[in-house]
Every structure is written in structure tokens, then in C-alpha cells.
Amino acid sequence: MIPKKLYSNSQFSSDIPSPISRIVEPSSEFYSNFSQQEVLELIQALEIRREIPLKYSYKGRGAKIWNNFYQRYIVPKWYQTPNVEIDLLNKNFDYINSSYKDCDKINILDVGSGNSYPVKKFVSRLNKLGKIHKYIALDISPELLTLSKANFTKWFPSVEFDSYTIDIDNSFIPTKVWQKSSSNNTKNIANIFLHLGVTIGNHQDRINVLQNLKNSMSQNDLLVFTNEIGSNFHWDGTVRGGCKYHVEEIYTWMKDKIGISDKDCELVRKYDLTTDSITANIKFNRNYTVNFSQSGIDKNLNFSKDEEITIWRHHKYEMPELIQELATAGLQIAHYSCNKYLTHIMVICRLADS
């Protein structure tokens, strides 16, 4: 049976390749990493925004790339400064713990859990107090959820673990995720929603993500997230951390899987005025046509010489903007604190009407 073409508009002139375009097709590995719906969303993002959403870089082999980056550059060594996430969770532990004094147990919902390493010490402290009902890892990447389970169950074999594949860009977290339980019938249970790793600054639509998190919460719940703070506009061009090492790996992986030749593109990092973000982009050195033609999809995307595809983004917050975005999403700050260098912030939120 010939599959129905789900995404084709070849009648548009933009689908007709230039005679001097190099025509390529994504590899079979590219398609194996994504569902049909994800491929359609990716095509739409490329066509409308010239962007490959960063969330897709964590799927397939991208999960190993990210974990290797994390283990090499973020897990603290004796000669490095403390991990920002671990340090801020430790600094805010007493406030978070005291916020749940009227609850019998706590569910920890780790949104974008990755390898779960940042929460290890935090979970250990709560577990010693007998506070944890269950830990729930949530991520878009099945491969990272497998890694999370392997790590967490090794560290805490007596704590109930669960996991779900969720794209927080596109949906809230349904109540069934934490209501399902086989080990505890305690009724008075509250939730901590964690969104760590300065991930909120990577989302293309931050307010939509905050609204999805808000729509997942109840009155007694807390949302805890981290991000960099400061001005994006005054970026001095220095690349470090994820903007350097993770970006380099994403760039190599993405261009190879899409079929872009090394000599036909370059990696460009810059300040983007439109989104007030630092971005990393694949810049084309010649005209290209990328043909998506599997799983019932028939779509050509054309890219001109000097056009760019965004593959990574990060937005620092300044406090007035942060407060405004939270208010727009229906959230309010209950507490916050910065690291000693005043470069990162941990924000603890409640529902605005709590």
C-alpha cells in the first residue's frame, strides 16, 4: 500500500529546487529517532522559523552525546567549582522542605530529567526525612529516561521510580502520572515540579512552557526551575559550557543526519535580536534542498547560500522580565536565590491564585 502523503505542498515555488542547489535526504537514522508527528513538527519549524528545536537533539544518539557532555564538563571534579544545580538545590532545601510541612509525602516530578544526576543529593536529603512518595522522570527522550532509571534505581533502590515520555513544549502533565501508585495509599501528597539545567532559557516559547507547567500544578504544589540571569544583548562572544561543547556535538550530529556536507556549512554563534537570545546556527555556504520523503511525507525545503538554521538557543532572564513572564503564565514567585557569582538563579513558584 502506498502511504498517504501527510505533508506536501509541492505546488509552491519554494519547493522547486534551484538548479545550483545541492539536493540531499536525511539518513534512515534521522527518521528512526523521531515519530511521524515529530518529523512533521520539525519540518514546520525549519520552514517557518528556520530552526531545529533543541529538544530533538536529546533523542537517539543525541542522548549519549548529551550525557557524555554532562559527565565530562558538568559533574563536579575536585578542581572545579560546585555544580550550580546541586548548589542551589542545597541552598534552597530548607525553604522547599518547610513548604510541605502540612503534607505527609512528596512526589518529585523531574521535567527534563536527563540522567537525574542534579537531583541526587536533593533526593537523598528528602529520603532521609521519609518525605518521598515517588520520583517521576519526565523527558522527551526515551533513551534519557532509560539512563535516568538506571542511575536512580542504583542510587535509591527503595524509592519508587516511574517515568513518562512527555514533550512539555506541547502538553501539560496529566494527573495520572502521579496518581498511579502501587506502594503508598497516603492521601495528603503534594508535588514538586523540577525543571533544572537552565532549560527554561532553551525553549523557543518560554511562556507556553510555563503555562503547561502551571496547568500541571495544584494549589499545594511548587515549581522549581533554574536559569542564567543577566543581559543577553551584552554577550561578549565568549563561548563556554553548553554553548561550546554541547553545541559542537549537536552541530556534527545534525548536519550529518540531515546530509549536509562539512564543506557546505559552518557553525555560527551569535546574539539574535529578534528573540533576545544567544543562538548557535548551521550557516549554509551554498544553496541546499533537503528532501523529506519517508513515512508518507513528501516535502522539499530550500535554503539559500548564507541562510542559517538555529540548532541551539539560550535566553538569560532579567528580573522584571522573569516576573512578567511568570505572571502571564499564571505563576508567582514564592522564593528565589542566586549563586554566589550572581550568574544563576533558582526560582520557586506557586500558582498565582494560591
Side-chain angles (χ1 to χ4, degrees):
M1 178 182 293
I2 299 175
K4 181 180 178 181
K5 293 180 179 179
L6 297 175
Y7 195 101
S8 176
N9 59 357
S10 57
Q11 69 270 27
F12 293 110
S13 60
S14 63
D15 286 317
I16 302 173
S18 164
I20 59 173
S21 287
R22 184 184 297 278
I23 302 174
V24 298
E25 295 186 4
S27 67
S28 57
E29 182 185 344
F30 172 89
Y31 287 102
S32 69
N33 290 328
F34 308 118
S35 68
Q36 186 180 67
Q37 184 58 42
E38 288 171 337
V39 174
L40 292 173
E41 183 184 345
L42 193 152
I43 291 172
Q44 185 179 49
L46 275 171
E47 183 171 36
I48 296 173
R49 303 195 308 269
R50 289 306 198 241
E51 179 171 8
I52 299 175
L54 179 61
K55 62 187 179 182
Y56 292 136
S57 71
Y58 299 109
K59 303 199 70 174
R61 190 165 64 87
K64 183 177 180 180
I65 288 171
W66 180 86
N67 187 54
N68 288 343
F69 157 73
Y70 194 96
Q71 294 290 339
R72 185 172 181 181
Y73 295 107
I74 301 181
V75 173
K77 311 294 192 301
W78 66 267
Y79 52 85
Q80 292 175 328
T81 57
N83 178 284
V84 170
E85 308 289 309
I86 297 171
D87 192 45
L88 285 172
L89 275 174
N90 188 54
K91 186 176 181 179
N92 289 279
F93 180 84
D94 289 339
Y95 179 86
I96 295 171
N97 184 44
S98 64
S99 298
Y100 291 101
K101 62 184 177 182
D102 296 328
C103 299
D104 297 323
K105 292 284 184 176
I106 301 168
N107 292 321
I108 299 176
L109 292 98
D110 196 354
V111 185
S113 58
N115 58 14
S116 293
Y117 185 87
V119 303
K120 182 180 179 183
K121 185 175 181 180
F122 179 72
V123 170
S124 179
R125 293 185 68 180
L126 284 174
N127 191 38
K128 288 177 181 178
L129 297 174
K131 287 286 189 73
I132 297 181
H133 178 221
K134 65 193 303 186
Y135 171 84
I136 305 165
L138 305 166
D139 208 289
I140 192 173
S141 168
E143 295 82 6
L144 284 177
L145 290 177
T146 298
L147 179 61
S148 171
K149 181 177 182 179
N151 286 339
F152 193 89
T153 53
K154 178 178 68 175
W155 299 330
F156 307 106
S158 63
V159 177
E160 185 176 355
F161 175 93
D162 211 342
S163 66
Y164 292 85
T165 303
I166 284 179
D167 180 0
I168 198 62
D169 279 335
N170 293 326
S171 64
F172 67 93
I173 304 163
T175 55
K176 66 179 183 180
V177 166
W178 62 84
Q179 286 180 344
K180 174 189 173 184
S181 177
S182 59
S183 64
N184 197 306
N185 295 319
T186 304
K187 295 180 179 179
N188 192 18
I189 300 173
N191 299 314
I192 304 175
F193 292 85
L194 301 177
H195 196 41
L196 304 177
V198 300
T199 305
I200 193 66
N202 297 136
H203 294 291
Q204 188 270 332
D205 189 340
R206 298 183 303 276
I207 292 177
N208 184 62
V209 170
L210 290 169
Q211 288 174 331
N212 283 336
L213 290 166
K214 176 258 183 183
N215 291 333
S216 307
M217 297 168 64
S218 299
Q219 187 174 14
N220 292 329
D221 297 342
L222 293 179
L223 166 64
V224 180
F225 68 89
T226 55
N227 205 60
E228 287 189 86
I229 53 174
S231 168
N232 302 287
F233 178 76
H234 292 102
W235 179 56
D236 63 3
T238 302
V239 293
R240 64 183 190 281
C243 188
K244 177 173 174 57
Y245 304 107
H246 191 209
V247 160
E248 289 171 355
E249 295 292 340
I250 295 172
Y251 171 71
T252 299
W253 184 54
M254 283 293 182
K255 67 181 176 61
D256 288 349
K257 296 306 158 251
I258 293 174
I260 306 170
S261 172
D262 288 343
K263 65 182 180 180
D264 292 337
C265 64
E266 58 186 289
L267 174 61
V268 175
R269 301 173 179 89
K270 66 182 185 181
Y271 169 73
D272 179 59
L273 178 62
T274 303
T275 60
D276 188 32
S277 301
I278 308 304
T279 64
N281 309 312
I282 298 174
K283 181 179 179 180
F284 290 94
N285 294 328
R286 62 169 296 165
N287 293 349
Y288 250 78
T289 296
V290 182
N291 175 234
F292 296 88
S293 58
Q294 288 194 29
S295 304
I297 300 168
D298 181 12
K299 179 69 178 179
N300 290 333
L301 294 181
N302 294 314
F303 303 93
S304 301
K305 182 178 182 296
D306 295 328
E307 266 199 286
E308 298 177 6
I309 297 173
T310 298
I311 58 172
W312 184 94
R313 68 167 64 249
H314 187 67
H315 176 83
K316 292 182 182 180
Y317 272 118
E318 295 187 89
M319 285 305 296
E321 177 192 32
L322 173 58
I323 293 168
Q324 180 58 54
E325 288 197 4
L326 288 171
T328 301
L331 294 163
Q332 63 183 7
I333 297 178
H335 182 76
Y336 73 90
S337 66
C338 298
N339 65 335
K340 65 180 180 179
Y341 303 107
L342 302 180
T343 57
H344 291 73
I345 189 171
M346 174 164 282
V347 183
I348 302 171
C349 302
R350 293 189 181 276
L351 297 178
D353 55 359
S354 293

